[in-house]
Amino acid sequence: MSKRVLTTESGAPVADNRNSASAGIGGPLLLQDQHLLEKLARFNRERIPVGAPPTPLRQWGRVMHARGSGAYGYFEVTDDATGFTCADFLASVGERTEAFVRFSTVADSPGGADAVRDPRGFAVKFYTAEGNDDLVGNNTPVFFVKDPIKFPDFIHSQKRDPFTGRREPHNVRDFWAHAPEATHQVTWLMADRGIPASYRHMNGYGSRTYQWTNAEGEAFFVEYHFKTNQGVRSLSSEQAAKPAGKDPNSHQTDLLQAIERGVNPSWTLYVQITPAAEAADNRFNPFGLTKVWPHRDHPLQRVGRLVLDLNQDNVFTEVEQATFSPNNFVPGIGPSPDKMLQGRLFAYADAHRYRLGVNHTPLAVNAPKATTAQNHGRDGLMAADAQGRHAKNYEPNSYDGPVETGRPLSAPLAVTGHTGTHEAPLHTKDDDFFQAGELYRLMSAEERQRLVANIAGGLSQVTRDDMIEKNLAHFHAADPEYGRRVAETVRALRED
């Protein structure tokens, strides 16, 4: 019996559903990749909004990061970064820039609990003098997949099953069984930091790799680390059950009350830097979201501190209508060839245009503060700005309209080779299991025990032996002891 063929919406066969099309091996992704754009755009529209069109006043639900909290504050530069970037808001020690931060769970619905085992979104909007710079990350430095074409598939496996209406252990572990690159993130998620005690007590990471460019035009690739100044605190599965049932809004309550008391949470921003010319020589692919950059190769360098000191006035107006997009850059900051970043340059903005409409950018929480947006966007749903009685909506024009600067925001990315789908280039230490094993071996005996119990608890609910064995093979490959202990615990739980 021949297998069914995977196709696009138009019925054309899909040749490669694991790798997005890029400009050569390791180059930026291409707009011509119809399969990638179709998957991402459709995924963004899979939740029917409350008050569907044509009702103008509607609440559009996020398909991801639906349950969130936020606060305003500022970012203050504490260390000189001008050798690496010409970004104006990072140019002077002591310079303060207004900021807004949104924290969130990833997979759950707006009605879910805060204290659950799930990655956390960590999104920062810097209201700089040259426009908004958005940094969209998580509380983990790695992720489950390394190519955006697999993101909709991954989330489908984690969301509620279309038949049972609940999250199915079979679906979750089936995807992980076929995604060996997820082993590193699974180890993070199932370990002690998988359930933060609060948003204040977790780190934030840019996760994806970005590019910085200095005044001389030299390019660097950078990883962001926001280290909590409150100390990392997490909950065990047993500890989390109480706040999840008693106060599902536990993280929201904690953040709100802390700021109201004047106990303003803060994070120190560190970066890891590698010159663009040296990126190919890194032991690990610097653009692979399933890998971290070892600190001994790229030490942390302090840049500044992020402080939250003001709560929102209205959760819906500000927190829920806040939009973040990793393609909101300012001069001196730009994209890298990181495939997950490249896919999200399109996906985030596309999701906002669907969820809130094309005129979400002038909303107060999203609008730039120190400058005024000057472009020729017009009309659309909820258009409120007439843009002047005689203003022209094209460029160039003869009526003193805004003009281009000719100054690129960041250095160009070099590309070679042919367009098409390519496996990511392998570096000397690149495999799907090495760093997961390193993480396991860093843990104490107690941490390992809790990790094994968390993994085995879900895996033991899977009824297909072949699916269990595929998952166990990943943990064995990461570390023989890791795999053996998970296997023994799964076997014991299934025999009970």
Side-chain angles (χ1 to χ4, degrees), residues 6 14-21 29 33 35-36 39 144-151 153 174-182 290 339-340 421-424 432 474:
L6 183 68
V14 173
D16 191 338
N17 194 44
R18 297 194 65 86
N19 300 288
S20 302
L29 301 189
D33 190 346
H35 181 47
L36 170 67
K39 284 185 74 172
F144 298 92
V145 295
K146 56 189 175 184
D147 193 295
I149 206 164
K150 297 309 298 175
F151 184 76
D153 297 304
D174 188 29
F175 183 88
W176 289 348
H178 291 88
E181 69 268 25
T290 59
K339 285 189 174 184
M340 289 299 290
T421 59
H422 307 279
E423 290 276 357
D432 293 323
H474 297 166

Side-chain angles (χ1 to χ4, degrees), residues 79-315:
D79 296 79
D80 181 24
T82 55
F84 304 112
T85 178
C86 60
D88 183 69
F89 77 105
L90 300 176
S92 303
V93 172
E95 179 80 14
R96 287 190 176 185
T97 299
E98 292 182 69
F100 181 77
V101 178
R102 187 178 188 271
F103 307 99
S104 58
T105 54
V106 173
D108 214 342
S109 63
D114 286 339
V116 294
R117 190 172 298 278
D118 196 21
R120 300 299 191 275
F122 193 106
V124 186
K125 187 181 294 293
F126 301 96
Y127 300 103
T128 88
E130 296 183 294
N132 293 346
D133 181 72
D134 287 358
L135 185 65
V136 185
N138 290 321
N139 72 325
T140 61
V142 293
F143 197 62
F144 298 92
V145 295
K146 56 189 175 184
D147 193 295
I149 206 164
K150 297 309 298 175
F151 184 76
D153 297 304
F154 162 65
I155 297 300
H156 286 167
S157 74
Q158 309 298 301
K159 289 280 194 179
R160 296 179 183 273
D161 183 87
F163 174 67
T164 66
R166 66 188 185 100
R167 296 184 70 184
E168 291 291 345
H170 294 71
N171 298 351
V172 173
R173 274 77 189 177
D174 188 29
F175 183 88
W176 289 348
H178 291 88
E181 69 268 25
T183 307
H184 194 185
Q185 173 70 323
V186 170
T187 304
W188 268 89
L189 179 63
M190 295 299 174
D192 284 0
R193 296 193 182 190
I195 311 178
S198 77
Y199 289 132
R200 296 184 296 129
H201 294 94
M202 69 182 195
N203 294 334
Y205 301 89
S207 299
R208 308 143 196 102
T209 301
Y210 291 82
Q211 185 202 75
W212 279 4
T213 307
N214 65 17
E216 288 70 43
E218 297 173 305
F220 303 85
F221 294 119
V222 58
E223 291 269 320
Y224 293 85
H225 300 248
F226 289 89
K227 299 287 189 177
T228 175
N229 294 324
Q230 291 69 239
V232 172
R233 286 180 49 203
S234 303
L235 302 174
S236 67
S237 298
E238 294 74 21
Q239 290 171 328
K242 182 176 180 180
K246 183 178 180 180
D247 179 12
N249 305 296
S250 57
H251 288 23
Q252 162 74 14
T253 301
D254 175 85
L255 181 66
L256 182 77
Q257 292 181 351
I259 295 175
E260 288 296 290
R261 296 195 311 268
V263 182
N264 299 326
S266 66
W267 290 259
T268 299
L269 173 62
Y270 297 88
V271 294
Q272 290 178 285
I273 297 283
T274 186
E278 300 176 12
D281 299 325
N282 287 9
R283 292 189 296 152
F284 302 95
N285 183 354
F287 313 118
L289 189 49
T290 59
K291 306 289 194 304
V292 297
W293 296 10
H295 289 186
R296 64 180 177 270
D297 296 347
H298 307 282
L300 295 178
Q301 302 184 50
R302 192 176 66 177
V303 177
R305 67 186 185 118
L306 174 68
V307 179
L308 299 182
D309 60 3
L310 180 65
N311 283 312
Q312 73 287 323
D313 290 325
N314 184 292
V315 172

